[in-house]
Amino acid sequence: MGKLEGRVALISGAARGIGAQAARRMADEGAKVVIGDVRDDLGRKTAEEIDGGRGVCRFSHLDVTDPENWQAVVDEAVEVYGRLDILVNNAGVFIGRSLEEISFDEWKTLVDVNLTGTFLGTRIAAPALREAAKDTPHGSAIVNLSSIAGLVGSMVDPLYSMTKGGVTTFTKSVALYFGKRGDRIRVNQIHPGVIETDMGDQTYTARARALGTNDVDAAKQASLNMHPIGRHGTADDIASGIVFLASDDAGFMTGSSLVVDGGLTAQ
Ligand SMILES: NC(=O)c1ccc[n+]([C@@H]2O[C@H](COP(=O)([O-])OP(=O)(O)OC[C@H]3O[C@@H](n4cnc5c(N)ncnc54)[C@H](O)[C@@H]3O)[C@@H](O)[C@H]2O)c1
């Protein structure tokens, strides 16, 4: 039996990258998965690839900055699949500009998606997660995608780092909130190193700019050299951590952080 048999999961920003791989891995473990994203065509394609083959999955349009969208997707998960056990606040954006380069609108986009999106998802999914928690051994789970940039400073995007630092402390705060109320909703987070996704590619371009060159290959090598394990991470490396934190294997973890960074922040 899969680790997530009988559970229902909602993953934001799961049309591609880490979120899409988390959807595949959760479906493999028996969860019914709802993928939410602003990329409708790609999101539908990802859901169709999973559904019927690896497991049960559907796509629903979700802009994480919009409370009405969140409410509609949570309601849909409960209506279609009967409950909601797992929320993965995965949607995120990276801009890759320095303190003096970034525009005010770019800053607001970072705040809207990375911070407001995580806050809204957590608040709006809470009633459904609380209800589902009543009949599972270790309750419901929220997994937030922070970053190594939520633990240490970032040379390539200090404002992204500021938003991910907010996710880091928000995760702990809401873990305390749900814990003290007896809600049985565990809240944990992952801090990925550089991961081979579209966002990972964006970081090489930003690093090249921060180094004062246009040499993206050299910037990629410099990024690689920062990871003692000798490679960048894959979406599957992070999906493994997400599945673990969402499952009963992590039943005694809340307010906690899983650093999956190839040793980058061990230095
Ligand atoms: N890739 C990395 O190196 C890395 C490192 C640390 C943390 N992370 C974090 O992991 C998460 C996933 O990153 P990824 O590498 O898969 O990125 P990605 O850019 O490949 O995918 C992000 C997804 O979020 C979606 N999205 C963006 N804005 C949205 C919105 N307003 N509403 C709904 N969906 C939206 C995008 O359409 C996309 O499908 C992000 O929170 C990111 O900050 C990534």
Side-chain angles (χ1 to χ4, degrees):
M1 194 168 109
K3 282 182 197 302
L4 300 177
E5 211 65 55
R7 308 290 163 90
V8 178
L10 168 57
I11 311 176
S12 71
R16 69 180 188 189
I18 292 169
Q21 189 58 18
R24 293 184 190 101
R25 293 284 304 275
M26 285 196 178
D28 289 348
E29 293 294 342
K32 298 185 173 84
V33 184
V34 179
I35 287 176
D37 207 293
V38 284
R39 288 175 204 272
D40 293 344
D41 291 345
L42 188 58
R44 246 176 241 118
K45 208 168 142 223
T46 302
E48 277 164 18
E49 167 219 314
I50 297 170
D51 193 58
R54 299 173 82 130
V56 178
C57 186
R58 62 190 282 126
F59 171 76
S60 193
H61 178 83
L62 170 65
D63 179 345
V64 294
T65 67
D66 180 344
E68 287 175 11
N69 267 203
W70 267 115
Q71 193 62 62
V73 174
V74 168
D75 289 349
E76 185 183 322
V78 173
E79 256 170 56
V80 176
Y81 295 138
R83 55 192 294 129
L84 182 66
D85 303 275
I86 297 161
L87 169 69
V88 184
N89 281 311
N90 168 78
V93 289
F94 172 89
I95 304 286
R97 297 202 188 279
S98 75
L99 175 69
E100 295 185 82
E101 281 171 343
I102 195 163
S103 72
F104 189 47
D105 281 346
E106 286 171 326
W107 157 245
K108 284 194 283 191
T109 301
L110 280 171
V111 172
D112 284 351
V113 179
N114 297 357
L115 287 175
T116 305
T118 303
F119 152 59
L120 288 176
T122 303
R123 179 152 98 177
I124 292 167
L129 293 169
R130 192 178 284 130
E131 188 56 33
K134 290 177 182 164
D135 66 2
T136 52
H138 294 284
S140 298
I142 297 176
V143 182
N144 291 332
L145 268 289
S146 181
S147 169
I148 48 166
L151 291 172
V152 297
S154 165
M155 183 181 87
V156 293
D157 195 335
L159 287 314
Y160 171 82
S161 178
M162 188 166 163
T163 61
K164 290 297 182 176
V167 171
T168 300
T169 48
F170 177 71
T171 300
K172 297 177 192 210
S173 302
V174 287
L176 298 177
Y177 172 78
F178 290 131
K180 291 201 167 127
R181 285 172 46 98
D183 282 330
R184 305 185 77 242
I185 303 174
R186 299 180 298 101
V187 192
N188 294 292
Q189 61 192 327
I190 301 223
H191 302 271
V194 178
I195 308 303
E196 288 168 347
T197 61
D198 291 81
M199 188 181 289
D201 288 344
Q202 270 182 281
T203 70
Y204 311 137
T205 312
R207 186 168 301 281
R209 201 169 37 236
L211 293 170
T213 69
N214 284 322
D215 191 343
V216 176
D217 289 339
K220 187 171 180 179
Q221 189 58 48
S223 168
L224 205 57
N225 294 344
M226 290 163 59
H227 294 73
I229 219 160
R231 63 175 178 88
H232 286 123
T234 63
D236 202 50
D237 289 323
I238 306 306
S240 297
I242 295 172
V243 169
F244 166 66
L245 290 175
S247 78
D248 289 342
D249 286 350
F252 193 51
M253 289 176 72
T254 197
S256 199
S257 288
L258 203 57
V259 180
V260 186
D261 70 349
L264 193 150
T265 55
Q267 302 163 93

